[in-house]
Amino acid sequence: MSLKLQNVKDAAFKEYGRVVEGLDFKEFISVLTDTTEAPDHVIYVASDEKLEALAVVGKLQDNCYGGMPIQVGYCNGTNTKLNCLEYHKDSEINIAADNAVLLVARLQDASDGPIDSSKVEAFLLPAGMAVELYATTLHYAPCSGKKGEPFRVAIVLPRGTNGPKPEITCMNDEDKRLFAKNKWLIAHPDTDEAKQGAVIGITGENVDISELI
């Protein structure tokens, strides 16, 4: 498949989100760098007390989420593959301490069934920058900004997101995608998530950006 590496500052990213401006994330990034690990695999922590204690979090909550309670955690590690696509019923803010690559697609292209991986686009999120991913943006774990190097990306979401899945009676196909609290997920068949029961909803090859970075 043909995939090019773009930048979140490019006009093409406006379909998926926006760069968050006007907030100072220097202390935030320092805490993320100094106190969180970045292993050779991907880890996710939904809520981190040290990050949530910083003053900028109050501004994120009020300015970006209109006062709704939020959680601040992180997704760190080393990764080059897409594997899955998820979405929430709200925006997600990503704040990069290291260069990272975001693989994104449009929820509209998966609304009636599977999405082909050729619909996925890749955007570099430079260190020190924050972006808002809109609720209609399919995404998953970030990828490394450089092959073999880890990334640290803070993840801001409404509080409770990614918690235990509520027990529901499936009324439609979207209900089958519910994988955790406020987390709808579709997986490529060649993933652990598919083996864990996630809906297989990505066709084509499992995107790997090794050659782009």
Side-chain angles (χ1 to χ4, degrees):
M1 63 181 298
S2 177
L3 185 67
K4 64 179 180 178
L5 183 58
Q6 304 171 86
N7 193 293
V8 295
K9 294 181 284 188
D10 295 343
F13 186 71
K14 292 181 179 180
E15 186 169 13
Y16 303 106
R18 68 180 181 98
V19 174
V20 178
E21 298 177 327
L23 296 177
D24 186 351
F25 293 111
K26 289 187 181 68
E27 185 182 16
F28 196 101
I29 290 170
S30 178
V31 171
L32 187 63
T33 301
D34 295 342
T35 68
T36 66
E37 62 176 320
D40 61 359
H41 55 281
V42 176
I43 58 172
Y44 173 69
V45 173
S47 177
D48 181 85
E49 292 182 355
K50 297 180 294 297
L51 293 173
E52 292 178 347
L54 298 176
V56 72
V57 173
K59 295 177 181 177
L60 278 169
Q61 179 168 288
D62 291 343
N63 290 44
C64 298
Y65 286 89
M68 291 175 57
I70 61 173
Q71 64 191 30
V72 183
Y74 54 87
C75 187
N76 296 357
T78 308
N79 179 46
T80 62
K81 290 188 175 182
L82 173 66
N83 293 324
C84 298
L85 289 166
E86 69 176 353
Y87 58 97
H88 316 289
K89 296 303 174 77
D90 52 77
S91 290
E92 172 179 313
I93 292 175
N94 290 180
I95 306 161
D98 308 292
N99 286 346
V101 175
L102 304 179
L103 297 177
V104 296
R106 298 178 351 127
L107 176 58
Q108 292 90 330
D109 289 328
S111 60
D112 297 325
I115 182 173
D116 192 89
S117 61
S118 63
K119 298 286 189 180
V120 171
E121 296 193 73
F123 291 90
L124 175 67
L125 174 59
M129 188 170 290
V131 294
E132 174 186 350
L133 299 177
Y134 299 144
T136 51
T137 296
L138 297 170
H139 60 280
Y140 204 46
C143 292
S144 300
K146 187 173 182 181
K147 191 174 181 179
E149 294 188 359
F151 60 85
R152 295 175 181 85
V153 177
I155 308 294
V156 185
L157 283 161
R159 183 157 294 281
T161 298
N162 288 316
K165 174 186 172 181
E167 295 298 325
I168 65 169
T169 299
C170 289
M171 303 295 204
N172 50 57
D173 288 339
E174 187 186 44
D175 287 350
K176 298 174 184 177
R177 297 176 173 180
L178 187 63
F179 198 73
K181 184 179 289 186
N182 191 28
K183 178 191 184 86
W184 287 260
L185 181 76
I186 54 176
H188 190 274
D190 300 331
T191 60
D192 289 338
E193 289 86 348
K195 296 173 184 175
Q196 294 167 15
V199 170
I200 296 174
I202 302 174
T203 58
E205 63 184 88
N206 188 7
V207 174
D208 190 330
I209 66 165
S210 296
E211 300 304 316
L212 291 180
I213 57 174

